[in-house]
Amino acid sequence: MALDQDQVRNIAELCRLQIDDSQIADYQKNLSSILDLVNQLAAANTDGVEPMAHPLDAVQRLRADLVTEDNQREHFQQIAPATDQGYYLVPRVVE
Amino acid sequence: MHNKTIAQISRDLAAGEYSSVEITQHLLDRIAQQDSTYNAFITVTAEQALAQAKAADENRAAGNASVWTGVPMAHKDVFCTNGVLTTCGSKMLSNFVAPYDATVVSNFNNAGAVSLGKLNMDEFAMGSSNENSFFGPVKNPWNHDCVPGGSSGGSAAAVAARLVPGATATDTGGSIRQPASFCGVTGIKPTYGRVSRWGMIAYASSLDQGGAIARSSEDAAMMLNVMASFDPKDSTCVDQAVPDYTANLNDSVEGLTIGLPKEYFRDDLSAEMQQQIRDAVAEYEKMGAKVKEISLPNTHLAIPSYYVIAPAECSANLSRMDGVRFGHRCEDPKDINDLYKRSRGEGFGEEVKRRIMVGAYTLSAGFYDAYYKQAQQVRRLVKNDFVAAFKDVDVIMGPTAPSPAFKAGEKTSDPVAMYLEDIFTIALNLAGLPGMSIPCGQINGLPVGLQLIGNYFNESRLLNLGHQFQQATDWHLKTPAGLV
């Protein structure tokens, strides 16, 4: 299944991935060949087959709703690119 | 000293043949002298290793030693290590000093093991050749022109090159077994949920599983004894008692039935490969095992199913890498969208970007049923093949990979050709079954791996079969030519 270049640009935008224009053709070729590979799935007869989300068909384990973690904000923010007064800094999003 | 196995080192330390500090220093020196050739390590933690070794020696002197006290090993760089760089092979995390230990890392620390550092890997564990690492490719110790396999290429190469006796690794589609096969070492991927994923950087969460690479089945069993645990912090970890994986190594294999899937021995598998695998199976027949041909009719659908499910899960998991809380951030972002796009665009390599994009596409509105749902249905068909087969056989055997190690650069320009490398390994991840690769022969001086596939939670049987093979043959003792 062939994707066109606009589709590749649109997917990259949805994924928040900056892709150089010079590379779009490469991504177009490779993504199309990967989709060709996965399109072999269409030939499988899966009528009435329950989708399998977990190899052991396990269900989500629950725990009591109790505090189990101490606040480690300062520890975790040591590795952040930019913080101020306990907040993570990003470019202005509200005018 | 570097040729010793984990079991030997453990016994030697107990007998006082040498100290943990001595063997740790010996291996650190060896890494310093030789790893520029292999590039197996991303980070060597010499100072911490020697501190751990000293503490281990003190504990032993105080009478507080167990089998792992002072035994050196190393971690794949996918496992978070508190205060130590944890890159996952990516530029995105090239500045990420993990603020906590993965459960697997804690388990080894608590057992008294000494970690020598962090091992190279394909970026975010996506790859079959270790050519996708931001920190450069890893060389196969058997032939430096060849790849070591991937994604745990650093783990397999370090163990094969005698830089470390054992290493942790992870396997989402074959990433323990295929590099073990290419590097002539022993690798085990346990049942899904057997080893905690907490602190193991996620690629595809319903497939990822931690495991071990070592030079013998006995050593792999010793590693799994430490790694496997129930962990409330991983909600998919299985709450089931952990057996002593070394307890059944010496069991007889007489009377066991080995299944050989006809789909794994098709004409496109070279005659040489077929012969190597059949010779290995014949060893088991000599020990009294029986052989039965079986069929896994949905084998050909495993790779297409995987390349929907894994990219879908990775597109979700890797959305946390956004340049805000940790990891790479682009210079001077002009707005929040620019921050996300350039941080991710600069931080991720091409294969990672491709998989994120495939995942986002197949999950997008209108395509979900045709791709993700269909893939999850096929996944059950793949599992059902194995469930049916295990009604008749005790273990399934076949090749780990379609060939011995291939040349570096041979498959880098064609992602789909690289994906087909995992044709024999990927179905186990979809099914969640345990699998193991042991060296069983050589073609043109390169190792060939025999894959052993067990039923759920039957790791002990695989390790037993591996050990019995290694008692009868010496393929696991072969050393790369020129290795000093």
Side-chain angles (χ1 to χ4, degrees), chain B residues 173-218:
Chain B
S175 285
I176 290 174
R177 292 158 286 156
Q178 186 251 19
S181 163
F182 280 14
C183 291
V185 292
T186 299
I188 185 163
K189 173 204 110 65
T191 307
Y192 180 79
R194 179 72 288 185
V195 169
S196 170
R197 293 187 299 106
W198 198 75
M200 187 176 111
I201 296 168
Y203 157 26
S205 303
S206 79
L207 304 161
D208 294 343
Q209 181 58 207
I213 290 180
R215 286 199 297 272
S216 72
S217 194
E218 182 184 23

Short mmCIF file of all heavy atoms in Angstrom, two decimals, chain B residues 173-218:
data_model
loop_
_atom_site.label_atom_id
_atom_site.label_comp_id
_atom_site.label_asym_id
_atom_site.label_seq_id
_atom_site.Cartn_x
_atom_site.Cartn_y
_atom_site.Cartn_z
N GLY B 173 10.78 -9.17 20.32
CA GLY B 173 10.47 -9.97 19.13
C GLY B 173 11.58 -10.96 18.80
O GLY B 173 11.58 -11.57 17.73
N GLY B 174 12.54 -11.07 19.71
CA GLY B 174 13.69 -11.96 19.48
C GLY B 174 15.00 -11.38 19.98
O GLY B 174 16.07 -11.94 19.76
N SER B 175 14.92 -10.24 20.66
CA SER B 175 16.09 -9.43 21.00
C SER B 175 17.04 -10.05 22.02
O SER B 175 18.12 -9.49 22.25
CB SER B 175 15.66 -8.06 21.52
OG SER B 175 15.22 -7.25 20.47
N ILE B 176 16.68 -11.16 22.64
CA ILE B 176 17.64 -11.92 23.45
C ILE B 176 18.15 -13.10 22.62
O ILE B 176 19.35 -13.35 22.51
CB ILE B 176 17.00 -12.44 24.75
CG1 ILE B 176 16.73 -11.30 25.71
CG2 ILE B 176 17.90 -13.51 25.40
CD1 ILE B 176 15.97 -11.70 26.98
N ARG B 177 17.22 -13.82 22.00
CA ARG B 177 17.56 -15.10 21.37
C ARG B 177 18.39 -14.93 20.10
O ARG B 177 19.34 -15.67 19.87
CB ARG B 177 16.26 -15.87 21.08
CG ARG B 177 15.55 -16.33 22.36
CD ARG B 177 14.09 -16.59 22.12
NE ARG B 177 13.31 -15.36 21.96
CZ ARG B 177 12.16 -15.25 21.32
NH1 ARG B 177 11.62 -16.31 20.74
NH2 ARG B 177 11.54 -14.08 21.25
N GLN B 178 18.03 -13.95 19.26
CA GLN B 178 18.75 -13.79 17.99
C GLN B 178 20.20 -13.34 18.22
O GLN B 178 21.11 -13.93 17.66
CB GLN B 178 17.95 -12.86 17.06
CG GLN B 178 18.53 -12.71 15.66
CD GLN B 178 19.13 -11.32 15.47
OE1 GLN B 178 19.42 -10.64 16.46
NE2 GLN B 178 19.32 -10.91 14.23
N PRO B 179 20.47 -12.32 19.07
CA PRO B 179 21.88 -11.99 19.33
C PRO B 179 22.63 -13.12 20.04
O PRO B 179 23.82 -13.32 19.79
CB PRO B 179 21.82 -10.71 20.17
CG PRO B 179 20.41 -10.54 20.59
CD PRO B 179 19.56 -11.30 19.64
N ALA B 180 21.95 -13.86 20.92
CA ALA B 180 22.61 -15.01 21.56
C ALA B 180 23.04 -16.00 20.49
O ALA B 180 24.15 -16.54 20.51
CB ALA B 180 21.67 -15.66 22.57
N SER B 181 22.15 -16.23 19.52
CA SER B 181 22.45 -17.15 18.42
C SER B 181 23.65 -16.64 17.61
O SER B 181 24.58 -17.39 17.33
CB SER B 181 21.19 -17.26 17.55
OG SER B 181 21.48 -17.80 16.30
N PHE B 182 23.64 -15.36 17.25
CA PHE B 182 24.70 -14.78 16.42
C PHE B 182 26.06 -14.76 17.13
O PHE B 182 27.09 -14.77 16.47
CB PHE B 182 24.34 -13.35 16.00
CG PHE B 182 23.37 -13.26 14.85
CD1 PHE B 182 22.65 -14.36 14.42
CD2 PHE B 182 23.17 -12.05 14.19
CE1 PHE B 182 21.75 -14.27 13.36
CE2 PHE B 182 22.28 -11.95 13.12
CZ PHE B 182 21.57 -13.06 12.71
N CYS B 183 26.05 -14.66 18.45
CA CYS B 183 27.31 -14.53 19.19
C CYS B 183 27.72 -15.82 19.88
O CYS B 183 28.69 -15.83 20.64
CB CYS B 183 27.21 -13.39 20.21
SG CYS B 183 27.11 -11.76 19.45
N GLY B 184 26.98 -16.90 19.65
CA GLY B 184 27.38 -18.19 20.20
C GLY B 184 27.27 -18.29 21.71
O GLY B 184 28.08 -18.94 22.37
N VAL B 185 26.26 -17.62 22.27
CA VAL B 185 26.05 -17.67 23.72
C VAL B 185 24.62 -18.15 24.02
O VAL B 185 23.83 -18.39 23.11
CB VAL B 185 26.35 -16.30 24.38
CG1 VAL B 185 27.84 -16.00 24.29
CG2 VAL B 185 25.53 -15.19 23.75
N THR B 186 24.32 -18.29 25.30
CA THR B 186 23.03 -18.83 25.73
C THR B 186 22.13 -17.69 26.17
O THR B 186 22.55 -16.87 26.99
CB THR B 186 23.26 -19.82 26.90
OG1 THR B 186 24.09 -20.89 26.44
CG2 THR B 186 21.94 -20.38 27.41
N GLY B 187 20.92 -17.64 25.64
CA GLY B 187 20.01 -16.56 26.03
C GLY B 187 18.62 -17.10 26.30
O GLY B 187 18.13 -17.94 25.54
N ILE B 188 18.01 -16.62 27.38
CA ILE B 188 16.64 -17.07 27.67
C ILE B 188 15.70 -15.88 27.83
O ILE B 188 16.01 -14.91 28.52
CB ILE B 188 16.58 -17.98 28.93
CG1 ILE B 188 15.15 -18.51 29.12
CG2 ILE B 188 17.10 -17.27 30.18
CD1 ILE B 188 15.02 -19.69 30.04
N LYS B 189 14.58 -15.97 27.12
CA LYS B 189 13.45 -15.04 27.30
C LYS B 189 12.38 -15.80 28.06
O LYS B 189 11.84 -16.78 27.56
CB LYS B 189 12.87 -14.61 25.95
CG LYS B 189 11.59 -13.79 26.09
CD LYS B 189 10.70 -13.84 24.84
CE LYS B 189 9.42 -14.62 25.03
NZ LYS B 189 8.45 -14.08 25.99
N PRO B 190 12.07 -15.38 29.28
CA PRO B 190 11.06 -16.09 30.06
C PRO B 190 9.64 -15.82 29.56
O PRO B 190 9.43 -15.01 28.66
CB PRO B 190 11.25 -15.53 31.47
CG PRO B 190 12.51 -14.73 31.44
CD PRO B 190 12.71 -14.30 30.02
N THR B 191 8.70 -16.52 30.17
CA THR B 191 7.28 -16.27 29.94
C THR B 191 6.96 -14.79 30.19
O THR B 191 7.50 -14.19 31.12
CB THR B 191 6.43 -17.10 30.93
OG1 THR B 191 6.83 -18.46 30.84
CG2 THR B 191 4.94 -16.98 30.63
N TYR B 192 6.07 -14.22 29.35
CA TYR B 192 5.64 -12.83 29.58
C TYR B 192 5.13 -12.68 31.02
O TYR B 192 4.31 -13.47 31.47
CB TYR B 192 4.53 -12.45 28.59
CG TYR B 192 4.06 -11.04 28.79
CD1 TYR B 192 4.78 -9.98 28.30
CD2 TYR B 192 2.89 -10.78 29.49
CE1 TYR B 192 4.37 -8.67 28.50
CE2 TYR B 192 2.46 -9.48 29.71
CZ TYR B 192 3.20 -8.44 29.21
OH TYR B 192 2.78 -7.15 29.43
N GLY B 193 5.63 -11.66 31.71
CA GLY B 193 5.16 -11.40 33.08
C GLY B 193 5.99 -12.07 34.16
O GLY B 193 5.75 -11.84 35.35
N ARG B 194 6.99 -12.88 33.77
CA ARG B 194 7.80 -13.60 34.76
C ARG B 194 8.82 -12.66 35.43
O ARG B 194 9.13 -12.78 36.60
CB ARG B 194 8.50 -14.78 34.06
CG ARG B 194 9.41 -15.64 34.89
CD ARG B 194 8.68 -16.55 35.86
NE ARG B 194 8.09 -15.84 36.99
CZ ARG B 194 7.49 -16.45 38.01
NH1 ARG B 194 7.38 -17.77 38.03
NH2 ARG B 194 6.99 -15.77 39.00
N VAL B 195 9.35 -11.73 34.61
CA VAL B 195 10.34 -10.77 35.11
C VAL B 195 9.70 -9.38 35.07
O VAL B 195 9.07 -9.00 34.07
CB VAL B 195 11.61 -10.80 34.22
CG1 VAL B 195 12.55 -9.64 34.54
CG2 VAL B 195 12.33 -12.14 34.38
N SER B 196 9.87 -8.62 36.13
CA SER B 196 9.25 -7.30 36.23
C SER B 196 9.74 -6.37 35.12
O SER B 196 10.92 -6.31 34.81
CB SER B 196 9.57 -6.67 37.59
OG SER B 196 9.17 -5.32 37.59
N ARG B 197 8.81 -5.61 34.56
CA ARG B 197 9.15 -4.59 33.56
C ARG B 197 9.34 -3.22 34.21
O ARG B 197 9.60 -2.24 33.51
CB ARG B 197 8.05 -4.51 32.50
CG ARG B 197 7.94 -5.75 31.62
CD ARG B 197 6.96 -5.56 30.47
NE ARG B 197 5.61 -5.29 30.95
CZ ARG B 197 5.02 -4.11 30.90
NH1 ARG B 197 5.61 -3.07 30.36
NH2 ARG B 197 3.80 -3.95 31.37
N TRP B 198 9.19 -3.13 35.52
CA TRP B 198 9.29 -1.82 36.17
C TRP B 198 10.71 -1.27 36.04
O TRP B 198 11.68 -1.94 36.40
CB TRP B 198 8.90 -1.94 37.65
CG TRP B 198 8.55 -0.62 38.27
CD1 TRP B 198 7.41 0.10 38.08
CD2 TRP B 198 9.36 0.14 39.17
NE1 TRP B 198 7.46 1.26 38.81
CE2 TRP B 198 8.65 1.31 39.49
CE3 TRP B 198 10.62 -0.06 39.72
CZ2 TRP B 198 9.13 2.28 40.35
CZ3 TRP B 198 11.12 0.91 40.59
CH2 TRP B 198 10.38 2.07 40.89
N GLY B 199 10.82 -0.09 35.48
CA GLY B 199 12.14 0.50 35.27
C GLY B 199 12.86 0.00 34.04
O GLY B 199 14.02 0.32 33.81
N MET B 200 12.18 -0.83 33.26
CA MET B 200 12.71 -1.32 31.98
C MET B 200 12.02 -0.46 30.93
O MET B 200 10.80 -0.52 30.81
CB MET B 200 12.30 -2.79 31.86
CG MET B 200 12.87 -3.57 30.72
SD MET B 200 12.30 -5.30 30.88
CE MET B 200 11.20 -5.37 29.46
N ILE B 201 12.78 0.38 30.23
CA ILE B 201 12.16 1.38 29.37
C ILE B 201 11.30 0.69 28.32
O ILE B 201 11.77 -0.21 27.61
CB ILE B 201 13.24 2.30 28.76
CG1 ILE B 201 13.93 3.07 29.90
CG2 ILE B 201 12.62 3.26 27.74
CD1 ILE B 201 15.20 3.78 29.49
N ALA B 202 10.03 1.09 28.24
CA ALA B 202 9.04 0.34 27.48
C ALA B 202 9.16 0.58 25.98
O ALA B 202 9.34 1.71 25.53
CB ALA B 202 7.65 0.74 27.94
N TYR B 203 9.08 -0.51 25.23
CA TYR B 203 8.95 -0.44 23.77
C TYR B 203 7.53 -0.88 23.42
O TYR B 203 6.69 -0.05 23.08
CB TYR B 203 10.06 -1.29 23.14
CG TYR B 203 9.82 -1.80 21.74
CD1 TYR B 203 8.99 -1.15 20.84
CD2 TYR B 203 10.48 -2.95 21.30
CE1 TYR B 203 8.80 -1.65 19.55
CE2 TYR B 203 10.29 -3.43 20.01
CZ TYR B 203 9.44 -2.79 19.15
OH TYR B 203 9.25 -3.29 17.88
N ALA B 204 7.24 -2.16 23.56
CA ALA B 204 5.88 -2.66 23.30
C ALA B 204 5.46 -3.48 24.52
O ALA B 204 5.87 -4.63 24.69
CB ALA B 204 5.85 -3.49 22.04
N SER B 205 4.64 -2.86 25.35
CA SER B 205 4.45 -3.38 26.71
C SER B 205 3.81 -4.76 26.79
O SER B 205 4.00 -5.47 27.77
CB SER B 205 3.62 -2.38 27.52
OG SER B 205 4.27 -1.13 27.52
N SER B 206 3.03 -5.16 25.79
CA SER B 206 2.40 -6.48 25.88
C SER B 206 3.32 -7.57 25.36
O SER B 206 2.97 -8.75 25.37
CB SER B 206 1.06 -6.50 25.14
OG SER B 206 1.24 -6.63 23.75
N LEU B 207 4.52 -7.17 24.90
CA LEU B 207 5.48 -8.13 24.33
C LEU B 207 6.81 -8.13 25.07
O LEU B 207 7.51 -9.14 25.08
CB LEU B 207 5.74 -7.78 22.85
CG LEU B 207 4.51 -7.73 21.94
CD1 LEU B 207 4.83 -6.94 20.67
CD2 LEU B 207 4.04 -9.12 21.56
N ASP B 208 7.19 -6.99 25.65
CA ASP B 208 8.51 -6.84 26.28
C ASP B 208 8.69 -7.83 27.43
O ASP B 208 7.80 -7.97 28.27
CB ASP B 208 8.66 -5.43 26.90
CG ASP B 208 8.69 -4.30 25.89
OD1 ASP B 208 8.93 -4.56 24.71
OD2 ASP B 208 8.48 -3.14 26.32
N GLN B 209 9.86 -8.44 27.48
CA GLN B 209 10.16 -9.31 28.62
C GLN B 209 11.67 -9.31 28.86
O GLN B 209 12.45 -9.47 27.92
CB GLN B 209 9.64 -10.72 28.36
CG GLN B 209 9.87 -11.71 29.48
CD GLN B 209 9.28 -11.29 30.83
OE1 GLN B 209 9.77 -11.69 31.87
NE2 GLN B 209 8.25 -10.49 30.83
N GLY B 210 12.05 -9.14 30.11
CA GLY B 210 13.46 -9.19 30.48
C GLY B 210 13.94 -10.62 30.59
O GLY B 210 13.15 -11.53 30.89
N GLY B 211 15.23 -10.81 30.34
CA GLY B 211 15.81 -12.14 30.45
C GLY B 211 17.32 -12.04 30.54
O GLY B 211 17.85 -10.97 30.85
N ALA B 212 17.99 -13.14 30.26
CA ALA B 212 19.42 -13.23 30.55
C ALA B 212 20.21 -13.78 29.38
O ALA B 212 19.71 -14.62 28.62
CB ALA B 212 19.63 -14.13 31.76
N ILE B 213 21.44 -13.29 29.25
CA ILE B 213 22.41 -13.85 28.31
C ILE B 213 23.65 -14.24 29.10
O ILE B 213 24.17 -13.44 29.89
CB ILE B 213 22.74 -12.83 27.19
CG1 ILE B 213 21.51 -12.67 26.27
CG2 ILE B 213 23.96 -13.29 26.38
CD1 ILE B 213 21.70 -11.70 25.12
N ALA B 214 24.12 -15.47 28.90
CA ALA B 214 25.28 -15.97 29.62
C ALA B 214 25.98 -17.01 28.74
O ALA B 214 25.63 -17.18 27.57
CB ALA B 214 24.85 -16.59 30.95
N ARG B 215 27.00 -17.67 29.30
CA ARG B 215 27.73 -18.63 28.47
C ARG B 215 27.32 -20.07 28.71
O ARG B 215 27.86 -20.98 28.06
CB ARG B 215 29.24 -18.44 28.66
CG ARG B 215 29.75 -17.18 27.97
CD ARG B 215 31.24 -17.21 27.75
NE ARG B 215 31.96 -17.26 29.01
CZ ARG B 215 32.33 -16.18 29.70
NH1 ARG B 215 32.05 -14.96 29.24
NH2 ARG B 215 32.97 -16.31 30.82
N SER B 216 26.39 -20.30 29.61
CA SER B 216 25.88 -21.66 29.79
C SER B 216 24.45 -21.59 30.28
O SER B 216 23.99 -20.57 30.78
CB SER B 216 26.74 -22.43 30.80
OG SER B 216 26.48 -21.92 32.11
N SER B 217 23.77 -22.71 30.13
CA SER B 217 22.40 -22.80 30.60
C SER B 217 22.37 -22.69 32.13
O SER B 217 21.46 -22.09 32.70
CB SER B 217 21.82 -24.15 30.14
OG SER B 217 20.45 -24.15 30.29
N GLU B 218 23.37 -23.27 32.78
CA GLU B 218 23.43 -23.19 34.24
C GLU B 218 23.53 -21.73 34.68
O GLU B 218 22.85 -21.30 35.62
CB GLU B 218 24.66 -23.98 34.74
CG GLU B 218 24.78 -23.99 36.25
CD GLU B 218 26.04 -24.68 36.75
OE1 GLU B 218 27.02 -24.79 35.98
OE2 GLU B 218 26.04 -25.11 37.92
#
